[in-house]
Structure formats: C-alpha cells, structure tokens
Amino acid sequence: MDKTVSEKTDLRSLQLSELENLLTRAGYPKFRAGQLYQWLQQKGVTDLSQMSNLPKAMTADLQENYRISGVRMVDRQISKLDGTQKFLFAMDDDALVEAVFMKYHFGNSVCISSQVGCRMGCRFCASTLDGLQRNLLAGEMLGEVSEVGKITGEKISHVVVMGTGEPLDNYENLVAFLRILTDEKGRNLSMRNITVSTCGIVPRIYALAKERLSITLALSLHATTDEKRRKIMPIANEYTIAELMQAVEAYFTETGRRVTFEYSLIAGVNDSPQEADALGVLAKRVGAHVNLIPVNPVKERGFAHPDRRAVEAFQVRLEKHGINVSIRRVLGRDIDGACGQLRHRVLRGNQG
Ligand code: SAH
C-alpha cells in the first residue's frame, strides 16, 4: 500500500525568498515567485494548470521538476453537540494525519498534526501507539490549515499545533511552516493566534526562543516531580523539570510570551491536592497559565479522568496560588475526540 513520493523539492514548503532564489536560478523573473507563492499560500491552489497568470511553459517545467505536496480529505466527523469537526487527511504517500476544526467565541481554530505518528511514547496518548512514521513537510502542515478552511468555508484565525506528533521533533519544517503561516504575503495569521505545544525538548525550546516568532508555547507538564513525570512521559528521562523551567523562562525573556502549562488530569496518578499545590508553585514562578485537561480515556491505555468535582477541586486549589487556570472545554465528545484516535481506529481497520 505504501506509495513512494518523489524526492523533488516541494514548492509549497518554500518561503517566498526561497522560491525567488529557486525560480531566478531557473531563469525566471523574480515576480513569478510572488505569483506562484500567492496561488499556493493565499489561494490554496495546488494545481499548476489552474494558475492562470503563469506562462504554460513555466508550469510545464515546474510540473516536471518539482512537486507540490497534496493533502486530501479521506474522512470527516462533525460533532452534533458543538460543531467541532475532525478531519482525516491523506498525504501523497497515503500517510494519514488528523486535524480538528473548533469554533470559539474568539474565532475559528484548527488543531493540526506535525508528524505522522509520534515517537515520544507518552503513556496516556493514542498518537504514539503506532510509533513515528515520518515528519510532515511545512507544505503539508499548511495544507491541513488550508483544506480545513476550504472544506468548512470558514475563516481560520487561530492555529494550534497540538495534534499528532511532537512539533519540536520536526523543528526545521515547523519553523518554515510558522514563517509562511504568519507571513503577510503568505497566510497572514497573527503570531499571537498561534500555539505550539511541546512535551519539552529543552534545547529546541531555546532554539525556538531565538527565532523571533512571538507565538505561544504550551508545555505539556502533566506531573510536578521528575519521578512521577518519568512514569508517564519518557522524555522526562532526558530533561528535568528544573531544566524545563529555565528554558521557559528564557522563552519569556526572548519573546515576551508567557508559557501555558498543560496538565492532563489522570485519576489517582497526578490529581492529589499536594500536586495542585506543587503545580501552583511552579506556575507562579514562571508566570504560566495552566490548562487542565481531564485525560481523554484511550482504550489501550487504561487511564481514567477524575470526576468533575475532583477536577474543579483541583482547579480551586491551584487558583489559591494566584494562577490563571482554565479547564479545557471538552469538544466533540461524540466523535473520536482524543489526539490520534480517529487515525488509530482507521489504521486498525475500524474496530474501535
Ligand atoms: N507532542 C506535543 C503536542 C501533541 S499532544 C505535546 O506533547 O505537547 C497535545 C496535548 O494533548 C499534550 O498536552 C498531550 O500531553 C495531551 N494529550 C495527549 N493524549 C491525551 C489524552 N488521552 N488525554 C488528554 N490529553 C492528552
């Protein structure tokens, strides 16, 4: 079933300056790059034959020597409860990824995947069950955003990189994606409306801080001691919480953006009052906002979320530390809500 895709350069993954270099080297005037970029990034048109202001000889040449990564919808679930939509997309090699469209009072948001599968191994997460297949290209991540916008007919104002994959494990492609997404000649999204969520790859947090992208960083903390964190997140064997806190402080110093802590509440694992206090101390120290996510049960994982009262008690206790806390609104409960569940079910032949 595996389709091989050519090694040709993906035009959709290139920033405008790169496209200009590539086309001028191939003998075309520079303005042609601007036209091509506008088709690809602003109009979401990936079929060269539809790019009506480009000369035929040029599109034929591009067709032969380059590629434009495609993203096609293979499944879509629409929640009857809140309008959340979940998409399953196939890439040109048939690799599958999920994206989710959500409506909020502040605008429409797309949650995209950054990798096909994931190798981080978090114990509560469905996305990592089948391991990492490959990284997504910048053009493929842009394609997720673009297709969701086209299919729903809605304007996309917010993007969160919180779907399948560890974005900082696909660093170069992620940064190219963010630059095109926020480029005024590209998709022109506001940096402030973009969130990248990481399990905490410390050196990459420092690198991202230096990119001069003032996006929000969300750190998946999920535990307040290294010992506990190691039990649920293998990445905690590489970096300590103390190192993480230093990295997010550096991120704030460079970008002026405070991080968000994500904390998935798992009954009997990380939901004690003592842990609420310890989380409060950590969040206070770095000025973090905390996002509590009652863990989404994944059949293969056997974790359960605390009941609503316990979640609220945890929130109240945390707020006593002067922390800004939100409980992640559970959207799309009637569709395969948790990260990676739809893809996982399809890969396993719809048994789930
Ligand atoms: N790899 C990145 C982004 C993808 S996961 C990261 O680790 O942050 C997005 C968020 O969902 C993370 O906070 C992740 O820990 C959390 N998550 C994954 N599976 C979950 C589940 N079953 N229930 C609740 N949260 C989950």
PDB file of all heavy atoms in Angstrom, residues 118 120 122 124-126 161-167 197-200 218-222 233 262-264 293-298 328 338-339 341, ligand 1:
ATOM      1  N   CYS A 118       4.083   9.442  16.196  1.00  0.00           N
ATOM      2  CA  CYS A 118       4.914  10.161  17.166  1.00  0.00           C
ATOM      3  C   CYS A 118       5.813   9.150  17.856  1.00  0.00           C
ATOM      4  O   CYS A 118       5.443   7.990  18.027  1.00  0.00           O
ATOM      5  CB  CYS A 118       4.013  10.839  18.206  1.00  0.00           C
ATOM      6  SG  CYS A 118       4.902  11.848  19.416  1.00  0.00           S
ATOM      7  N   MET A 120       7.365   9.907  20.907  1.00  0.00           N
ATOM      8  CA  MET A 120       7.620  10.363  22.273  1.00  0.00           C
ATOM      9  C   MET A 120       7.122   9.385  23.342  1.00  0.00           C
ATOM     10  O   MET A 120       7.602   9.407  24.465  1.00  0.00           O
ATOM     11  CB  MET A 120       7.017  11.752  22.488  1.00  0.00           C
ATOM     12  CG  MET A 120       7.670  12.840  21.648  1.00  0.00           C
ATOM     13  SD  MET A 120       9.424  13.074  22.078  1.00  0.00           S
ATOM     14  CE  MET A 120      10.195  12.938  20.468  1.00  0.00           C
ATOM     15  N   CYS A 122       4.356   9.043  25.204  1.00  0.00           N
ATOM     16  CA  CYS A 122       3.583   9.406  26.404  1.00  0.00           C
ATOM     17  C   CYS A 122       2.528   8.331  26.669  1.00  0.00           C
ATOM     18  O   CYS A 122       1.818   7.908  25.756  1.00  0.00           O
ATOM     19  CB  CYS A 122       2.934  10.779  26.241  1.00  0.00           C
ATOM     20  SG  CYS A 122       4.124  12.107  26.050  1.00  0.00           S
ATOM     21  N   PHE A 124      -0.362   8.116  28.091  1.00  0.00           N
ATOM     22  CA  PHE A 124      -1.812   8.333  28.026  1.00  0.00           C
ATOM     23  C   PHE A 124      -2.267   8.696  26.622  1.00  0.00           C
ATOM     24  O   PHE A 124      -3.423   8.997  26.389  1.00  0.00           O
ATOM     25  CB  PHE A 124      -2.192   9.480  28.974  1.00  0.00           C
ATOM     26  CG  PHE A 124      -1.228  10.624  28.871  1.00  0.00           C
ATOM     27  CD1 PHE A 124      -1.373  11.555  27.863  1.00  0.00           C
ATOM     28  CD2 PHE A 124      -0.134  10.723  29.735  1.00  0.00           C
ATOM     29  CE1 PHE A 124      -0.454  12.581  27.710  1.00  0.00           C
ATOM     30  CE2 PHE A 124       0.789  11.748  29.589  1.00  0.00           C
ATOM     31  CZ  PHE A 124       0.633  12.670  28.580  1.00  0.00           C
ATOM     32  N   CYS A 125      -1.352   8.709  25.663  1.00  0.00           N
ATOM     33  CA  CYS A 125      -1.639   9.305  24.361  1.00  0.00           C
ATOM     34  C   CYS A 125      -1.811   8.255  23.267  1.00  0.00           C
ATOM     35  O   CYS A 125      -0.998   7.332  23.152  1.00  0.00           O
ATOM     36  CB  CYS A 125      -0.515  10.267  23.996  1.00  0.00           C
ATOM     37  SG  CYS A 125      -0.788  11.107  22.429  1.00  0.00           S
ATOM     38  N   ALA A 126      -2.857   8.418  22.439  1.00  0.00           N
ATOM     39  CA  ALA A 126      -3.131   7.468  21.360  1.00  0.00           C
ATOM     40  C   ALA A 126      -2.230   7.703  20.147  1.00  0.00           C
ATOM     41  O   ALA A 126      -1.996   6.788  19.362  1.00  0.00           O
ATOM     42  CB  ALA A 126      -4.597   7.566  20.931  1.00  0.00           C
ATOM     43  N   VAL A 161      -0.734  23.830  17.201  1.00  0.00           N
ATOM     44  CA  VAL A 161      -0.010  22.637  16.778  1.00  0.00           C
ATOM     45  C   VAL A 161      -0.037  21.680  17.965  1.00  0.00           C
ATOM     46  O   VAL A 161       0.868  21.665  18.801  1.00  0.00           O
ATOM     47  CB  VAL A 161       1.426  22.979  16.331  1.00  0.00           C
ATOM     48  CG1 VAL A 161       2.082  21.750  15.705  1.00  0.00           C
ATOM     49  CG2 VAL A 161       1.427  24.136  15.332  1.00  0.00           C
ATOM     50  N   MET A 162      -1.147  20.970  18.067  1.00  0.00           N
ATOM     51  CA  MET A 162      -1.420  20.103  19.219  1.00  0.00           C
ATOM     52  C   MET A 162      -2.019  18.781  18.793  1.00  0.00           C
ATOM     53  O   MET A 162      -2.579  18.057  19.598  1.00  0.00           O
ATOM     54  CB  MET A 162      -2.451  20.773  20.134  1.00  0.00           C
ATOM     55  CG  MET A 162      -1.856  21.624  21.204  1.00  0.00           C
ATOM     56  SD  MET A 162      -3.125  22.109  22.374  1.00  0.00           S
ATOM     57  CE  MET A 162      -2.350  23.559  23.043  1.00  0.00           C
ATOM     58  N   GLY A 163      -1.960  18.510  17.500  1.00  0.00           N
ATOM     59  CA  GLY A 163      -2.473  17.222  17.030  1.00  0.00           C
ATOM     60  C   GLY A 163      -1.385  16.170  17.198  1.00  0.00           C
ATOM     61  O   GLY A 163      -0.516  16.282  18.061  1.00  0.00           O
ATOM     62  N   THR A 164      -1.421  15.179  16.346  1.00  0.00           N
ATOM     63  CA  THR A 164      -0.428  14.113  16.439  1.00  0.00           C
ATOM     64  C   THR A 164       0.981  14.651  16.175  1.00  0.00           C
ATOM     65  O   THR A 164       1.180  15.480  15.282  1.00  0.00           O
ATOM     66  CB  THR A 164      -0.763  13.012  15.421  1.00  0.00           C
ATOM     67  OG1 THR A 164      -1.985  12.413  15.817  1.00  0.00           O
ATOM     68  CG2 THR A 164       0.330  11.953  15.355  1.00  0.00           C
ATOM     69  N   GLY A 165       1.943  14.131  16.928  1.00  0.00           N
ATOM     70  CA  GLY A 165       3.339  14.470  16.676  1.00  0.00           C
ATOM     71  C   GLY A 165       3.911  15.432  17.690  1.00  0.00           C
ATOM     72  O   GLY A 165       3.184  16.112  18.403  1.00  0.00           O
ATOM     73  N   GLU A 166       5.234  15.443  17.762  1.00  0.00           N
ATOM     74  CA  GLU A 166       5.930  16.387  18.630  1.00  0.00           C
ATOM     75  C   GLU A 166       6.545  17.450  17.710  1.00  0.00           C
ATOM     76  O   GLU A 166       7.518  17.183  17.000  1.00  0.00           O
ATOM     77  CB  GLU A 166       7.004  15.644  19.445  1.00  0.00           C
ATOM     78  CG  GLU A 166       7.993  16.534  20.173  1.00  0.00           C
ATOM     79  CD  GLU A 166       7.360  17.682  20.974  1.00  0.00           C
ATOM     80  OE1 GLU A 166       6.371  17.475  21.691  1.00  0.00           O
ATOM     81  OE2 GLU A 166       7.859  18.817  20.852  1.00  0.00           O
ATOM     82  N   PRO A 167       5.969  18.661  17.714  1.00  0.00           N
ATOM     83  CA  PRO A 167       6.435  19.677  16.754  1.00  0.00           C
ATOM     84  C   PRO A 167       7.927  19.978  16.863  1.00  0.00           C
ATOM     85  O   PRO A 167       8.590  20.200  15.844  1.00  0.00           O
ATOM     86  CB  PRO A 167       5.591  20.909  17.093  1.00  0.00           C
ATOM     87  CG  PRO A 167       4.816  20.596  18.317  1.00  0.00           C
ATOM     88  CD  PRO A 167       4.799  19.115  18.491  1.00  0.00           C
ATOM     89  N   SER A 197       2.538  23.288  20.976  1.00  0.00           N
ATOM     90  CA  SER A 197       2.575  22.507  22.210  1.00  0.00           C
ATOM     91  C   SER A 197       3.707  21.484  22.158  1.00  0.00           C
ATOM     92  O   SER A 197       3.860  20.770  21.167  1.00  0.00           O
ATOM     93  CB  SER A 197       1.231  21.783  22.367  1.00  0.00           C
ATOM     94  OG  SER A 197       1.230  20.976  23.514  1.00  0.00           O
ATOM     95  N   THR A 198       4.491  21.430  23.218  1.00  0.00           N
ATOM     96  CA  THR A 198       5.632  20.509  23.236  1.00  0.00           C
ATOM     97  C   THR A 198       5.660  19.683  24.515  1.00  0.00           C
ATOM     98  O   THR A 198       5.255  20.160  25.577  1.00  0.00           O
ATOM     99  CB  THR A 198       6.966  21.263  23.077  1.00  0.00           C
ATOM    100  OG1 THR A 198       8.039  20.307  23.145  1.00  0.00           O
ATOM    101  CG2 THR A 198       7.170  22.297  24.176  1.00  0.00           C
ATOM    102  N   CYS A 199       6.193  18.473  24.393  1.00  0.00           N
ATOM    103  CA  CYS A 199       6.380  17.649  25.584  1.00  0.00           C
ATOM    104  C   CYS A 199       7.640  18.105  26.330  1.00  0.00           C
ATOM    105  O   CYS A 199       7.933  17.617  27.412  1.00  0.00           O
ATOM    106  CB  CYS A 199       6.462  16.174  25.207  1.00  0.00           C
ATOM    107  SG  CYS A 199       7.872  15.786  24.167  1.00  0.00           S
ATOM    108  N   GLY A 200       8.406  19.034  25.731  1.00  0.00           N
ATOM    109  CA  GLY A 200       9.524  19.623  26.466  1.00  0.00           C
ATOM    110  C   GLY A 200      10.907  19.187  26.026  1.00  0.00           C
ATOM    111  O   GLY A 200      11.694  18.672  26.814  1.00  0.00           O
ATOM    112  N   ALA A 218       3.124  26.106  24.565  1.00  0.00           N
ATOM    113  CA  ALA A 218       2.434  25.345  25.603  1.00  0.00           C
ATOM    114  C   ALA A 218       3.337  24.182  25.988  1.00  0.00           C
ATOM    115  O   ALA A 218       3.886  23.506  25.117  1.00  0.00           O
ATOM    116  CB  ALA A 218       1.098  24.832  25.081  1.00  0.00           C
ATOM    117  N   LEU A 219       3.528  24.016  27.271  1.00  0.00           N
ATOM    118  CA  LEU A 219       4.392  22.930  27.741  1.00  0.00           C
ATOM    119  C   LEU A 219       3.532  21.853  28.392  1.00  0.00           C
ATOM    120  O   LEU A 219       2.798  22.119  29.344  1.00  0.00           O
ATOM    121  CB  LEU A 219       5.400  23.486  28.757  1.00  0.00           C
ATOM    122  CG  LEU A 219       6.262  22.432  29.452  1.00  0.00           C
ATOM    123  CD1 LEU A 219       7.186  21.727  28.466  1.00  0.00           C
ATOM    124  CD2 LEU A 219       7.078  23.076  30.576  1.00  0.00           C
ATOM    125  N   SER A 220       3.632  20.648  27.874  1.00  0.00           N
ATOM    126  CA  SER A 220       2.886  19.522  28.449  1.00  0.00           C
ATOM    127  C   SER A 220       3.650  19.039  29.666  1.00  0.00           C
ATOM    128  O   SER A 220       4.649  18.337  29.551  1.00  0.00           O
ATOM    129  CB  SER A 220       2.742  18.411  27.410  1.00  0.00           C
ATOM    130  OG  SER A 220       2.015  18.902  26.307  1.00  0.00           O
ATOM    131  N   LEU A 221       3.177  19.453  30.835  1.00  0.00           N
ATOM    132  CA  LEU A 221       3.920  19.150  32.066  1.00  0.00           C
ATOM    133  C   LEU A 221       3.423  17.845  32.677  1.00  0.00           C
ATOM    134  O   LEU A 221       4.187  16.902  32.861  1.00  0.00           O
ATOM    135  CB  LEU A 221       3.771  20.339  33.032  1.00  0.00           C
ATOM    136  CG  LEU A 221       4.735  20.395  34.192  1.00  0.00           C
ATOM    137  CD1 LEU A 221       6.185  20.420  33.741  1.00  0.00           C
ATOM    138  CD2 LEU A 221       4.438  21.627  35.065  1.00  0.00           C
ATOM    139  N   HIS A 222       2.170  17.807  33.042  1.00  0.00           N
ATOM    140  CA  HIS A 222       1.469  16.589  33.483  1.00  0.00           C
ATOM    141  C   HIS A 222       1.942  15.978  34.797  1.00  0.00           C
ATOM    142  O   HIS A 222       1.356  14.997  35.282  1.00  0.00           O
ATOM    143  CB  HIS A 222       1.469  15.496  32.403  1.00  0.00           C
ATOM    144  CG  HIS A 222       0.939  15.928  31.072  1.00  0.00           C
ATOM    145  ND1 HIS A 222      -0.124  16.788  30.932  1.00  0.00           N
ATOM    146  CD2 HIS A 222       1.339  15.634  29.797  1.00  0.00           C
ATOM    147  CE1 HIS A 222      -0.370  16.987  29.635  1.00  0.00           C
ATOM    148  NE2 HIS A 222       0.515  16.311  28.936  1.00  0.00           N
ATOM    149  N   MET A 233       5.825  10.081  31.014  1.00  0.00           N
ATOM    150  CA  MET A 233       6.396  10.696  29.815  1.00  0.00           C
ATOM    151  C   MET A 233       7.873  10.328  29.683  1.00  0.00           C
ATOM    152  O   MET A 233       8.723  10.857  30.411  1.00  0.00           O
ATOM    153  CB  MET A 233       6.275  12.226  29.893  1.00  0.00           C
ATOM    154  CG  MET A 233       4.842  12.723  29.998  1.00  0.00           C
ATOM    155  SD  MET A 233       4.769  14.522  30.149  1.00  0.00           S
ATOM    156  CE  MET A 233       5.175  15.037  28.472  1.00  0.00           C
ATOM    157  N   GLU A 262       0.254  22.654  30.186  1.00  0.00           N
ATOM    158  CA  GLU A 262      -0.859  21.729  30.005  1.00  0.00           C
ATOM    159  C   GLU A 262      -0.703  20.614  31.026  1.00  0.00           C
ATOM    160  O   GLU A 262       0.403  20.111  31.255  1.00  0.00           O
ATOM    161  CB  GLU A 262      -0.833  21.152  28.600  1.00  0.00           C
ATOM    162  CG  GLU A 262      -1.310  22.185  27.604  1.00  0.00           C
ATOM    163  CD  GLU A 262      -1.107  21.699  26.213  1.00  0.00           C
ATOM    164  OE1 GLU A 262      -0.015  21.915  25.692  1.00  0.00           O
ATOM    165  OE2 GLU A 262      -2.032  21.092  25.698  1.00  0.00           O
ATOM    166  N   TYR A 263      -1.811  20.307  31.646  1.00  0.00           N
ATOM    167  CA  TYR A 263      -1.769  19.297  32.704  1.00  0.00           C
ATOM    168  C   TYR A 263      -2.970  18.376  32.531  1.00  0.00           C
ATOM    169  O   TYR A 263      -4.112  18.769  32.773  1.00  0.00           O
ATOM    170  CB  TYR A 263      -1.802  20.008  34.063  1.00  0.00           C
ATOM    171  CG  TYR A 263      -1.376  19.156  35.236  1.00  0.00           C
ATOM    172  CD1 TYR A 263      -0.044  19.110  35.646  1.00  0.00           C
ATOM    173  CD2 TYR A 263      -2.310  18.400  35.950  1.00  0.00           C
ATOM    174  CE1 TYR A 263       0.346  18.335  36.728  1.00  0.00           C
ATOM    175  CE2 TYR A 263      -1.927  17.622  37.036  1.00  0.00           C
ATOM    176  CZ  TYR A 263      -0.595  17.606  37.419  1.00  0.00           C
ATOM    177  OH  TYR A 263      -0.200  16.837  38.502  1.00  0.00           O
ATOM    178  N   SER A 264      -2.716  17.184  32.018  1.00  0.00           N
ATOM    179  CA  SER A 264      -3.795  16.208  31.832  1.00  0.00           C
ATOM    180  C   SER A 264      -4.047  15.522  33.158  1.00  0.00           C
ATOM    181  O   SER A 264      -3.156  14.870  33.703  1.00  0.00           O
ATOM    182  CB  SER A 264      -3.393  15.156  30.795  1.00  0.00           C
ATOM    183  OG  SER A 264      -3.250  15.748  29.537  1.00  0.00           O
ATOM    184  N   ILE A 293      -6.622  19.442  31.556  1.00  0.00           N
ATOM    185  CA  ILE A 293      -7.319  18.599  30.568  1.00  0.00           C
ATOM    186  C   ILE A 293      -7.665  17.275  31.245  1.00  0.00           C
ATOM    187  O   ILE A 293      -6.771  16.460  31.479  1.00  0.00           O
ATOM    188  CB  ILE A 293      -6.407  18.270  29.355  1.00  0.00           C
ATOM    189  CG1 ILE A 293      -5.588  19.480  28.915  1.00  0.00           C
ATOM    190  CG2 ILE A 293      -7.210  17.681  28.215  1.00  0.00           C
ATOM    191  CD1 ILE A 293      -4.401  19.131  28.016  1.00  0.00           C
ATOM    192  N   PRO A 294      -8.933  17.067  31.606  1.00  0.00           N
ATOM    193  CA  PRO A 294      -9.278  15.753  32.138  1.00  0.00           C
ATOM    194  C   PRO A 294      -8.872  14.711  31.090  1.00  0.00           C
ATOM    195  O   PRO A 294      -9.247  14.847  29.933  1.00  0.00           O
ATOM    196  CB  PRO A 294     -10.805  15.812  32.294  1.00  0.00           C
ATOM    197  CG  PRO A 294     -11.130  17.280  32.302  1.00  0.00           C
ATOM    198  CD  PRO A 294     -10.093  17.950  31.448  1.00  0.00           C
ATOM    199  N   VAL A 295      -8.076  13.733  31.471  1.00  0.00           N
ATOM    200  CA  VAL A 295      -7.486  12.849  30.453  1.00  0.00           C
ATOM    201  C   VAL A 295      -8.603  12.173  29.654  1.00  0.00           C
ATOM    202  O   VAL A 295      -9.614  11.741  30.195  1.00  0.00           O
ATOM    203  CB  VAL A 295      -6.510  11.823  31.088  1.00  0.00           C
ATOM    204  CG1 VAL A 295      -7.256  10.665  31.744  1.00  0.00           C
ATOM    205  CG2 VAL A 295      -5.516  11.306  30.060  1.00  0.00           C
ATOM    206  N   ASN A 296      -8.390  12.156  28.371  1.00  0.00           N
ATOM    207  CA  ASN A 296      -9.342  11.523  27.473  1.00  0.00           C
ATOM    208  C   ASN A 296      -9.034  10.039  27.492  1.00  0.00           C
ATOM    209  O   ASN A 296      -7.942   9.643  27.096  1.00  0.00           O
ATOM    210  CB  ASN A 296      -9.087  12.074  26.059  1.00  0.00           C
ATOM    211  CG  ASN A 296     -10.344  12.509  25.388  1.00  0.00           C
ATOM    212  OD1 ASN A 296     -11.381  11.840  25.480  1.00  0.00           O
ATOM    213  ND2 ASN A 296     -10.260  13.624  24.710  1.00  0.00           N
ATOM    214  N   PRO A 297      -9.945   9.195  27.942  1.00  0.00           N
ATOM    215  CA  PRO A 297      -9.584   7.786  28.054  1.00  0.00           C
ATOM    216  C   PRO A 297      -9.296   7.179  26.681  1.00  0.00           C
ATOM    217  O   PRO A 297     -10.042   7.397  25.735  1.00  0.00           O
ATOM    218  CB  PRO A 297     -10.825   7.134  28.680  1.00  0.00           C
ATOM    219  CG  PRO A 297     -11.840   8.184  28.818  1.00  0.00           C
ATOM    220  CD  PRO A 297     -11.317   9.485  28.333  1.00  0.00           C
ATOM    221  N   VAL A 298      -8.193   6.481  26.572  1.00  0.00           N
ATOM    222  CA  VAL A 298      -7.819   5.791  25.349  1.00  0.00           C
ATOM    223  C   VAL A 298      -7.831   4.315  25.718  1.00  0.00           C
ATOM    224  O   VAL A 298      -7.164   3.921  26.683  1.00  0.00           O
ATOM    225  CB  VAL A 298      -6.409   6.231  24.889  1.00  0.00           C
ATOM    226  CG1 VAL A 298      -5.959   5.433  23.676  1.00  0.00           C
ATOM    227  CG2 VAL A 298      -6.385   7.725  24.575  1.00  0.00           C
ATOM    228  N   ARG A 328      -9.883  22.704  30.016  1.00  0.00           N
ATOM    229  CA  ARG A 328     -10.096  22.571  28.584  1.00  0.00           C
ATOM    230  C   ARG A 328     -11.526  22.143  28.335  1.00  0.00           C
ATOM    231  O   ARG A 328     -11.972  21.125  28.853  1.00  0.00           O
ATOM    232  CB  ARG A 328      -9.107  21.532  28.012  1.00  0.00           C
ATOM    233  CG  ARG A 328      -9.353  21.094  26.593  1.00  0.00           C
ATOM    234  CD  ARG A 328      -8.635  21.919  25.564  1.00  0.00           C
ATOM    235  NE  ARG A 328      -7.212  22.040  25.784  1.00  0.00           N
ATOM    236  CZ  ARG A 328      -6.295  21.199  25.298  1.00  0.00           C
ATOM    237  NH1 ARG A 328      -6.646  20.170  24.589  1.00  0.00           N
ATOM    238  NH2 ARG A 328      -5.011  21.419  25.524  1.00  0.00           N
ATOM    239  N   ALA A 338     -10.064  12.311  21.278  1.00  0.00           N
ATOM    240  CA  ALA A 338      -8.669  12.418  21.734  1.00  0.00           C
ATOM    241  C   ALA A 338      -7.694  12.362  20.568  1.00  0.00           C
ATOM    242  O   ALA A 338      -7.961  11.749  19.535  1.00  0.00           O
ATOM    243  CB  ALA A 338      -8.356  11.298  22.708  1.00  0.00           C
ATOM    244  N   CYS A 339      -6.548  13.020  20.773  1.00  0.00           N
ATOM    245  CA  CYS A 339      -5.498  13.052  19.759  1.00  0.00           C
ATOM    246  C   CYS A 339      -5.225  11.654  19.233  1.00  0.00           C
ATOM    247  O   CYS A 339      -4.956  10.743  19.994  1.00  0.00           O
ATOM    248  CB  CYS A 339      -4.176  13.524  20.369  1.00  0.00           C
ATOM    249  SG  CYS A 339      -4.261  15.124  21.106  1.00  0.00           S
ATOM    250  N   GLN A 341      -7.039   9.385  17.902  1.00  0.00           N
ATOM    251  CA  GLN A 341      -7.990   8.273  17.990  1.00  0.00           C
ATOM    252  C   GLN A 341      -8.621   7.903  16.652  1.00  0.00           C
ATOM    253  O   GLN A 341      -8.818   6.728  16.368  1.00  0.00           O
ATOM    254  CB  GLN A 341      -9.093   8.584  19.008  1.00  0.00           C
ATOM    255  CG  GLN A 341      -8.621   8.324  20.428  1.00  0.00           C
ATOM    256  CD  GLN A 341      -9.744   8.450  21.437  1.00  0.00           C
ATOM    257  OE1 GLN A 341     -10.770   9.039  21.178  1.00  0.00           O
ATOM    258  NE2 GLN A 341      -9.517   7.888  22.603  1.00  0.00           N
TER     259      GLN A 341
HETATM  260  N1  SAH B   1       3.630  16.455  21.353  1.00  0.00           N
HETATM  261  C1  SAH B   1       3.046  17.700  21.765  1.00  0.00           C
HETATM  262  C2  SAH B   1       1.741  18.050  21.099  1.00  0.00           C
HETATM  263  C3  SAH B   1       0.723  16.987  20.867  1.00  0.00           C
HETATM  264  S1  SAH B   1      -0.258  16.433  22.211  1.00  0.00           S
HETATM  265  C4  SAH B   1       2.913  17.739  23.269  1.00  0.00           C
HETATM  266  O1  SAH B   1       3.279  16.772  23.928  1.00  0.00           O
HETATM  267  O2  SAH B   1       2.532  18.769  23.806  1.00  0.00           O
HETATM  268  C5  SAH B   1      -1.281  17.779  22.702  1.00  0.00           C
HETATM  269  C6  SAH B   1      -1.651  17.722  24.173  1.00  0.00           C
HETATM  270  O3  SAH B   1      -2.622  16.691  24.439  1.00  0.00           O
HETATM  271  C7  SAH B   1      -0.472  17.414  25.069  1.00  0.00           C
HETATM  272  O4  SAH B   1      -0.534  18.195  26.225  1.00  0.00           O
HETATM  273  C8  SAH B   1      -0.696  15.961  25.382  1.00  0.00           C
HETATM  274  O5  SAH B   1       0.010  15.585  26.521  1.00  0.00           O
HETATM  275  C9  SAH B   1      -2.188  15.913  25.530  1.00  0.00           C
HETATM  276  N2  SAH B   1      -2.790  14.574  25.416  1.00  0.00           N
HETATM  277  C10 SAH B   1      -2.414  13.535  24.664  1.00  0.00           C
HETATM  278  N3  SAH B   1      -3.217  12.489  24.849  1.00  0.00           N
HETATM  279  C11 SAH B   1      -4.148  12.872  25.736  1.00  0.00           C
HETATM  280  C12 SAH B   1      -5.263  12.230  26.330  1.00  0.00           C
HETATM  281  N4  SAH B   1      -5.570  10.973  26.054  1.00  0.00           N
HETATM  282  N5  SAH B   1      -5.988  12.954  27.217  1.00  0.00           N
HETATM  283  C13 SAH B   1      -5.677  14.236  27.495  1.00  0.00           C
HETATM  284  N6  SAH B   1      -4.651  14.879  26.968  1.00  0.00           N
HETATM  285  C14 SAH B   1      -3.877  14.209  26.105  1.00  0.00           C
END
